[in-house]
Amino acid sequence: MQFEDLLIQNSEVFRASSWIVRFKKAIYAAESSARADLAIIDRDYREWFVVEVEMTRHSLYGHVLPQVRTLRDGFYGQPEAEYLSERLPAADPARVADLVRGKSPRIVVIADRASQDWGKVLAGADVEFITLEVYKSELNAYIFSVDGGLPQRAHDLVSYCTIHPMLPRQLIVESPASLGIAANERLSVLWEGQMIEWVRMDSGDSCYLRTRGPVRLKTGIRYALLVVEDGQIELKAVGKEGIES
């Protein structure tokens, strides 16, 4: 608990412009459940992380790995968003709900000691690994030694998107809280030199942008909504080639 308190009180050590909050809610995967320790939420509501705080004396294969796999594969929805909002009075509940509605959080293990073995194994499970060693100075002040860090998001990135495999002209939005519009509102986006109007549509725990006009998008490829000159949003293709739809 003291280690968690230090993390919460010194959130800037891990991520600037973010909140760190306790996140003890049970998360359920297919055949297991787990409780994390903390959540890190970007103050721009672009992404979030679920954090497991561990001591390296614990068993990596017997305890840590099963725990983080459950957190990685678990379901996150409205109950989790409400849990976070109740503990973050400074946050906007609607935007927190949008954040959780989008892409699942990245999973992070923060440990008290460096371990090369832990780093390799957790990387293979698509889990970030950070070590935080804490010391006290002669003046009784805390000194932190940090190894590793959270992936940083580009400042011009609004959200990554993919084309819906069954619905042409409909984008699945990974970070709906970053759009700046509510359900059924419209967003003008520059695509291949043309301004195209999209409508936000929410369904269950997913968020979509849909346009009625013709647009050459491809399945199997990732797109990015980017802020360009004068605050305009542009859609650009990133990643591998796909199939036009």
Side-chain angles (χ1 to χ4, degrees):
M1 185 67 72
Q2 183 182 11
F3 194 45
E4 292 180 20
D5 289 340
L6 286 173
L7 297 178
I8 293 171
Q9 294 163 10
N10 297 275
S11 60
E12 72 281 354
V13 172
F14 301 99
R15 184 71 173 223
S17 301
S18 297
W19 292 293
I20 296 186
V21 62
R22 284 195 171 84
F23 187 59
K24 306 288 185 178
K25 195 175 191 307
I27 300 300
Y28 297 91
E31 298 179 352
S32 61
S33 65
R35 292 180 189 270
D37 294 303
L38 304 169
I40 300 176
I41 298 177
D42 183 85
R43 294 196 184 197
D44 291 328
Y45 305 94
R46 291 185 174 189
E47 59 187 338
W48 67 300
F49 305 83
V50 167
V51 180
E52 178 74 5
V53 178
E54 288 290 351
M55 304 293 109
T56 49
R57 65 176 181 271
H58 294 162
S59 169
L60 173 60
Y61 291 98
H63 170 70
V64 179
L65 200 54
Q67 183 92 344
V68 296
R69 281 174 172 164
T70 297
L71 296 173
R72 179 197 64 193
D73 300 336
F75 176 78
Y76 298 86
Q78 187 61 30
E80 288 70 34
E82 292 174 357
Y83 183 99
L84 290 167
S85 293
E86 288 171 1
R87 287 153 181 81
L88 276 176
D92 181 339
R95 298 192 73 183
V96 172
D98 267 354
L99 180 65
V100 176
R101 179 197 297 274
K103 190 178 180 182
S104 296
R106 295 285 297 170
I107 308 303
V108 184
V109 169
I110 299 180
D112 61 333
R113 293 287 185 274
S115 171
Q116 189 174 12
D117 290 341
W118 277 42
K120 289 181 179 179
V121 171
L122 292 172
D126 195 26
V127 173
E128 308 292 334
F129 180 58
I130 301 173
T131 61
L132 176 69
E133 298 186 57
V134 183
Y135 307 93
K136 271 195 173 183
S137 71
E138 294 179 355
L139 299 176
N140 210 35
Y142 286 109
I143 300 173
F144 302 102
S145 175
V146 181
D147 183 17
L150 300 179
Q152 297 295 316
R153 192 180 176 101
H155 292 297
D156 61 346
L157 176 62
V158 176
S159 178
Y160 287 113
C161 308
T162 51
I163 185 70
H164 195 291
M166 303 298 292
L167 299 172
R169 303 185 301 277
Q170 190 153 308
L171 289 168
I172 304 170
V173 181
E174 292 185 8
S175 303
S178 302
L179 292 176
I181 59 170
N184 301 317
E185 290 186 347
R186 298 178 184 275
L187 180 69
S188 295
V189 177
L190 187 64
W191 166 249
E192 293 187 335
Q194 294 185 334
M195 196 64 70
I196 297 176
E197 189 174 78
W198 301 78
V199 177
R200 172 173 170 169
M201 302 174 61
D202 292 351
S203 176
D205 290 313
S206 298
C207 172
Y208 306 93
L209 286 176
R210 183 174 183 179
T211 182
R212 293 182 177 178
V215 57
R216 294 166 56 87
L217 297 176
K218 300 177 180 180
T219 58
I221 192 169
R222 207 177 191 198
Y223 294 87
L225 289 166
L226 303 170
V227 178
V228 292
E229 295 180 4
D230 300 324
Q232 177 61 54
I233 296 177
E234 182 174 5
L235 182 67
K236 290 187 177 181
V238 295
K240 64 180 182 179
E241 291 293 326
I243 301 171
E244 292 187 4
S245 65

